[in-house]
Amino acid sequence: MYAVIKTGGKQYKVQANDIIEVEKIEAGIGSIVLLDEVLMINQGSDIALGSGLSGFGVAAEIINQKKADKIIVFKKKRRHNYRRKNGHRQLVTVIKITGIGKDLKANILPFKPEENQARVNDLKTAPTKAEKKQAQGSIKAAKPKAEAKPAKAKKETTAKPEAKPATPRKKAAGKTKASAE
């Protein structure tokens, strides 16, 4: 049994226990979502399309929220010295298909929000890498800054003698074109 679903503007052919990456779905890791935009279902020899799909859905468990590989966006206009280069990483959700069928809201979705919230709270309270290293003693505690030294007294300067006035430049005594001939 397989189904063709639409999510994030794209279509996917899925079966039970498939793991796929789709556009970002706003839900926590471990929660179960219902993808109710089903385009086709194949149940062995029966194929349902269009209006015969009312009530069908696909249940999926969210495994991970991550960013896809980086793509390069490059724009160029010839002969105009115009070039723009940008990178982009799309947000994606990794899901595992848990079931395909009719009336999944009542039958398949055993999701309990309080359990998922406990998982999220555990992730928030987990120590960071820096905290772990500091607990192990590999990072030394920051030393307090030394006190500022008093400024040295400036030496008294003697008055400089006045500069001599500049002498006017002498004109070069060179030959002109007329005198060279």
Side-chain angles (χ1 to χ4, degrees):
M1 171 186 236
Y2 68 87
V4 176
I5 60 169
K6 182 178 178 184
T7 178
K10 298 177 181 76
Q11 297 177 8
Y12 302 91
K13 177 184 172 185
V14 296
Q15 295 177 345
N17 299 323
D18 279 356
I19 296 175
I20 59 172
E21 288 184 358
V22 298
E23 295 288 320
K24 179 155 175 67
I25 297 173
E26 292 292 332
I29 295 174
S31 62
I32 296 188
V33 294
L34 179 66
L35 305 169
D36 55 357
E37 198 166 348
V38 178
L39 304 176
M40 182 185 101
I41 288 195
N42 182 354
Q43 298 173 333
S45 61
D46 296 336
I47 294 177
L49 294 169
S51 62
L53 296 175
S54 61
F56 277 95
V58 174
E61 180 184 359
I62 295 181
I63 296 174
N64 194 7
Q65 302 276 10
K66 65 177 192 172
K67 288 185 177 182
D69 294 335
K70 181 179 274 191
I71 61 166
I72 302 298
V73 180
F74 187 75
K75 299 177 184 178
K76 180 179 179 178
K77 294 184 181 176
R78 309 189 304 168
R79 299 184 296 273
H80 290 282
N81 196 23
Y82 175 83
R83 290 182 294 275
R84 301 293 181 265
K85 181 179 178 182
N86 288 313
H88 177 70
R89 292 185 71 188
Q90 185 68 34
L91 297 173
V92 295
T93 301
V94 180
I95 61 174
K96 179 179 180 181
I97 306 301
T98 57
I100 300 170
K102 199 167 192 169
D103 300 325
L104 291 177
K105 288 184 182 177
N107 299 333
I108 292 181
L109 297 179
F111 172 62
K112 297 176 184 170
E114 58 276 358
E115 288 178 7
N116 190 42
Q117 190 60 40
R119 285 188 201 173
V120 172
N121 290 340
D122 290 342
L123 291 174
K124 287 181 182 177
T125 58
T128 62
K129 287 182 182 178
E131 291 171 349
K132 287 179 184 177
K133 285 184 180 179
Q134 192 170 16
Q136 292 172 354
S138 61
I139 296 178
K140 296 178 182 176
K143 295 180 182 178
K145 292 185 178 181
E147 294 180 17
K149 296 180 181 178
K152 293 182 180 179
K154 290 185 178 181
K155 295 180 182 178
E156 291 184 25
T157 58
T158 57
K160 293 183 180 179
E162 291 184 24
K164 294 180 183 177
T167 57
R169 290 187 174 180
K170 295 180 181 177
K171 292 186 179 179
K175 295 182 179 180
T176 62
K177 268 189 171 180
S179 63
E181 293 175 2

